[in-house]
Short mmCIF file of all heavy atoms in Angstrom, two decimals:
data_model
loop_
_atom_site.label_atom_id
_atom_site.label_comp_id
_atom_site.label_asym_id
_atom_site.label_seq_id
_atom_site.Cartn_x
_atom_site.Cartn_y
_atom_site.Cartn_z
N PRO A 133 103.44 133.83 72.54
CA PRO A 133 102.04 133.46 72.35
C PRO A 133 101.17 134.65 71.95
O PRO A 133 100.13 134.48 71.32
CB PRO A 133 101.60 132.91 73.70
CG PRO A 133 102.82 132.77 74.52
CD PRO A 133 103.91 133.51 73.86
N ALA A 134 101.60 135.85 72.30
CA ALA A 134 100.83 137.05 71.92
C ALA A 134 100.70 137.17 70.41
O ALA A 134 99.73 137.74 69.91
CB ALA A 134 101.50 138.30 72.50
N ALA A 135 101.67 136.63 69.67
CA ALA A 135 101.62 136.69 68.20
C ALA A 135 100.48 135.85 67.63
O ALA A 135 100.12 135.99 66.47
CB ALA A 135 102.95 136.23 67.62
N CYS A 136 99.90 134.99 68.44
CA CYS A 136 98.84 134.09 67.99
C CYS A 136 97.45 134.70 68.14
O CYS A 136 96.46 134.12 67.71
CB CYS A 136 98.88 132.80 68.80
SG CYS A 136 100.49 131.99 68.76
N ILE A 137 97.37 135.83 68.78
CA ILE A 137 96.08 136.44 69.08
C ILE A 137 95.77 137.52 68.05
O ILE A 137 96.58 138.41 67.80
CB ILE A 137 96.09 137.05 70.50
CG1 ILE A 137 96.40 135.96 71.52
CG2 ILE A 137 94.77 137.73 70.80
CD1 ILE A 137 96.67 136.48 72.91
N ALA A 138 94.60 137.40 67.46
CA ALA A 138 94.19 138.41 66.48
C ALA A 138 93.90 139.72 67.20
O ALA A 138 93.31 139.74 68.27
CB ALA A 138 92.94 137.93 65.75
N ARG A 139 94.37 140.80 66.63
CA ARG A 139 94.13 142.14 67.16
C ARG A 139 93.52 143.00 66.07
O ARG A 139 93.73 142.74 64.88
CB ARG A 139 95.46 142.78 67.62
CG ARG A 139 96.23 142.00 68.64
CD ARG A 139 95.61 142.17 69.99
NE ARG A 139 96.38 141.36 70.94
CZ ARG A 139 96.32 141.51 72.21
NH1 ARG A 139 95.56 142.42 72.73
NH2 ARG A 139 97.03 140.74 73.00
N PRO A 140 92.79 144.05 66.45
CA PRO A 140 92.14 144.88 65.43
C PRO A 140 93.10 145.44 64.37
O PRO A 140 92.76 145.49 63.20
CB PRO A 140 91.52 146.02 66.24
CG PRO A 140 91.32 145.43 67.59
CD PRO A 140 92.45 144.45 67.79
N LEU A 141 94.30 145.82 64.74
CA LEU A 141 95.22 146.42 63.76
C LEU A 141 96.29 145.44 63.27
O LEU A 141 97.20 145.82 62.55
CB LEU A 141 95.88 147.66 64.36
CG LEU A 141 94.90 148.77 64.77
CD1 LEU A 141 95.64 149.91 65.43
CD2 LEU A 141 94.10 149.26 63.58
N ARG A 142 96.19 144.20 63.67
CA ARG A 142 97.16 143.19 63.22
C ARG A 142 96.53 142.42 62.08
O ARG A 142 95.59 141.68 62.26
CB ARG A 142 97.52 142.24 64.36
CG ARG A 142 98.60 141.26 63.95
CD ARG A 142 98.94 140.26 65.02
NE ARG A 142 99.50 140.92 66.18
CZ ARG A 142 99.47 140.42 67.40
NH1 ARG A 142 98.92 139.25 67.63
NH2 ARG A 142 100.01 141.07 68.41
N SER A 143 97.07 142.61 60.90
CA SER A 143 96.49 141.98 59.72
C SER A 143 96.91 140.53 59.59
O SER A 143 96.29 139.76 58.88
CB SER A 143 96.87 142.75 58.46
OG SER A 143 98.28 142.74 58.32
N ARG A 144 97.96 140.15 60.28
CA ARG A 144 98.48 138.80 60.13
C ARG A 144 98.68 138.16 61.50
O ARG A 144 99.29 138.76 62.38
CB ARG A 144 99.81 138.89 59.40
CG ARG A 144 100.28 137.63 58.85
CD ARG A 144 101.46 137.92 57.98
NE ARG A 144 101.85 136.69 57.35
CZ ARG A 144 102.89 136.56 56.60
NH1 ARG A 144 103.65 137.61 56.36
NH2 ARG A 144 103.19 135.42 56.07
N VAL A 145 98.17 136.98 61.67
CA VAL A 145 98.34 136.25 62.92
C VAL A 145 99.27 135.08 62.65
O VAL A 145 99.13 134.39 61.64
CB VAL A 145 96.98 135.75 63.46
CG1 VAL A 145 97.17 134.91 64.71
CG2 VAL A 145 96.06 136.92 63.75
N LYS A 146 100.23 134.86 63.56
CA LYS A 146 101.20 133.78 63.40
C LYS A 146 100.52 132.41 63.46
O LYS A 146 99.59 132.21 64.21
CB LYS A 146 102.23 133.89 64.53
CG LYS A 146 103.25 132.78 64.51
CD LYS A 146 104.28 132.99 65.59
CE LYS A 146 105.31 131.89 65.65
NZ LYS A 146 105.67 131.22 64.45
N ASN A 147 101.01 131.49 62.67
CA ASN A 147 100.60 130.10 62.78
C ASN A 147 101.25 129.56 64.06
O ASN A 147 102.47 129.45 64.15
CB ASN A 147 101.06 129.29 61.57
CG ASN A 147 100.75 127.82 61.72
OD1 ASN A 147 100.27 127.36 62.75
ND2 ASN A 147 101.04 127.06 60.68
N CYS A 148 100.46 129.22 65.03
CA CYS A 148 100.99 128.86 66.34
C CYS A 148 100.98 127.36 66.61
O CYS A 148 101.00 126.93 67.76
CB CYS A 148 100.23 129.61 67.42
SG CYS A 148 100.53 131.38 67.31
N GLU A 149 100.97 126.59 65.56
CA GLU A 149 101.07 125.15 65.74
C GLU A 149 102.49 124.79 66.12
O GLU A 149 103.44 125.41 65.67
CB GLU A 149 100.68 124.44 64.45
CG GLU A 149 99.22 124.61 64.09
CD GLU A 149 98.88 123.92 62.78
OE1 GLU A 149 99.73 123.19 62.21
OE2 GLU A 149 97.76 124.13 62.31
N MET A 150 102.60 123.77 66.97
CA MET A 150 103.92 123.33 67.39
C MET A 150 104.01 121.83 67.11
O MET A 150 103.12 121.07 67.51
CB MET A 150 104.12 123.60 68.87
CG MET A 150 105.46 123.27 69.37
SD MET A 150 106.05 124.68 70.28
CE MET A 150 107.69 124.16 70.64
N ASP A 151 105.05 121.43 66.44
CA ASP A 151 105.25 120.02 66.08
C ASP A 151 105.50 119.19 67.34
O ASP A 151 106.38 119.51 68.14
CB ASP A 151 106.44 119.91 65.12
CG ASP A 151 106.71 118.49 64.70
OD1 ASP A 151 105.75 117.72 64.49
OD2 ASP A 151 107.91 118.14 64.59
N ILE A 152 104.72 118.13 67.51
CA ILE A 152 104.83 117.28 68.70
C ILE A 152 106.22 116.65 68.80
O ILE A 152 106.74 116.45 69.90
CB ILE A 152 103.72 116.19 68.72
CG1 ILE A 152 103.72 115.43 70.04
CG2 ILE A 152 103.89 115.22 67.56
CD1 ILE A 152 103.28 116.24 71.22
N LYS A 153 106.86 116.39 67.67
CA LYS A 153 108.20 115.79 67.71
C LYS A 153 109.22 116.77 68.31
O LYS A 153 110.14 116.36 69.00
CB LYS A 153 108.63 115.34 66.32
CG LYS A 153 107.84 114.15 65.84
CD LYS A 153 108.26 113.69 64.47
CE LYS A 153 107.39 112.52 64.06
NZ LYS A 153 107.57 112.14 62.69
N THR A 154 109.04 118.05 68.07
CA THR A 154 109.91 119.07 68.65
C THR A 154 109.75 119.09 70.16
O THR A 154 110.73 119.14 70.91
CB THR A 154 109.59 120.46 68.06
OG1 THR A 154 109.74 120.40 66.65
CG2 THR A 154 110.48 121.54 68.65
N VAL A 155 108.51 119.04 70.61
CA VAL A 155 108.22 119.05 72.06
C VAL A 155 108.79 117.78 72.69
O VAL A 155 109.45 117.84 73.73
CB VAL A 155 106.70 119.15 72.32
CG1 VAL A 155 106.39 118.99 73.80
CG2 VAL A 155 106.15 120.46 71.78
N GLN A 156 108.56 116.63 72.08
CA GLN A 156 109.05 115.37 72.63
C GLN A 156 110.57 115.33 72.69
O GLN A 156 111.14 114.85 73.68
CB GLN A 156 108.51 114.20 71.81
CG GLN A 156 107.03 113.99 71.99
CD GLN A 156 106.45 112.99 71.01
OE1 GLN A 156 106.97 112.77 69.91
NE2 GLN A 156 105.33 112.37 71.39
N ALA A 157 111.23 115.83 71.68
CA ALA A 157 112.69 115.85 71.68
C ALA A 157 113.22 116.76 72.79
O ALA A 157 114.17 116.42 73.48
CB ALA A 157 113.21 116.32 70.32
N ARG A 158 112.58 117.91 72.97
CA ARG A 158 112.99 118.85 74.01
C ARG A 158 112.80 118.25 75.41
O ARG A 158 113.61 118.48 76.29
CB ARG A 158 112.16 120.14 73.88
CG ARG A 158 112.27 121.10 75.04
CD ARG A 158 113.34 122.11 74.81
NE ARG A 158 113.34 123.12 75.85
CZ ARG A 158 114.41 123.54 76.47
NH1 ARG A 158 115.58 123.07 76.14
NH2 ARG A 158 114.34 124.46 77.39
N GLN A 159 111.75 117.47 75.61
CA GLN A 159 111.42 116.98 76.94
C GLN A 159 111.84 115.54 77.21
O GLN A 159 111.67 115.05 78.32
CB GLN A 159 109.91 117.12 77.17
CG GLN A 159 109.46 118.56 77.24
CD GLN A 159 108.03 118.69 77.69
OE1 GLN A 159 107.30 117.71 77.84
NE2 GLN A 159 107.61 119.92 77.91
N ARG A 160 112.44 114.87 76.25
CA ARG A 160 112.76 113.44 76.39
C ARG A 160 113.56 113.13 77.65
O ARG A 160 113.14 112.32 78.48
CB ARG A 160 113.52 112.95 75.15
CG ARG A 160 113.81 111.45 75.18
CD ARG A 160 114.45 110.96 73.89
NE ARG A 160 113.53 111.20 72.78
CZ ARG A 160 113.79 112.02 71.74
NH1 ARG A 160 114.93 112.64 71.65
NH2 ARG A 160 112.90 112.19 70.79
N ASP A 161 114.72 113.75 77.81
CA ASP A 161 115.57 113.46 78.98
C ASP A 161 114.88 113.87 80.28
O ASP A 161 114.94 113.16 81.28
CB ASP A 161 116.91 114.17 78.85
CG ASP A 161 117.75 113.61 77.71
OD1 ASP A 161 117.48 112.48 77.25
OD2 ASP A 161 118.68 114.31 77.28
N TYR A 162 114.24 115.01 80.24
CA TYR A 162 113.53 115.52 81.42
C TYR A 162 112.44 114.56 81.87
O TYR A 162 112.34 114.19 83.05
CB TYR A 162 112.95 116.90 81.07
CG TYR A 162 111.86 117.39 81.97
CD1 TYR A 162 112.13 117.74 83.29
CD2 TYR A 162 110.57 117.56 81.50
CE1 TYR A 162 111.12 118.21 84.11
CE2 TYR A 162 109.56 118.05 82.31
CZ TYR A 162 109.85 118.36 83.62
OH TYR A 162 108.85 118.84 84.42
N LEU A 163 111.60 114.12 80.93
CA LEU A 163 110.51 113.22 81.29
C LEU A 163 111.02 111.87 81.77
O LEU A 163 110.42 111.27 82.66
CB LEU A 163 109.54 113.05 80.11
CG LEU A 163 108.73 114.30 79.77
CD1 LEU A 163 107.87 114.06 78.52
CD2 LEU A 163 107.88 114.76 80.94
N SER A 164 112.12 111.38 81.22
CA SER A 164 112.65 110.11 81.68
C SER A 164 113.13 110.22 83.13
O SER A 164 113.02 109.26 83.89
CB SER A 164 113.76 109.60 80.77
OG SER A 164 114.92 110.39 80.90
#
Side-chain angles (χ1 to χ4, degrees):
C136 305
I137 301 170
R139 303 283 178 163
L141 300 177
R142 185 183 296 157
S143 61
R144 196 170 185 185
V145 176
K146 177 177 178 31
N147 175 356
C148 294
E149 293 178 8
M150 184 130 186
D151 180 39
I152 188 69
K153 290 180 182 171
T154 302
V155 173
Q156 290 170 334
R158 169 92 173 133
Q159 293 189 353
R160 184 175 298 117
D161 293 341
Y162 162 68
L163 291 176
S164 70

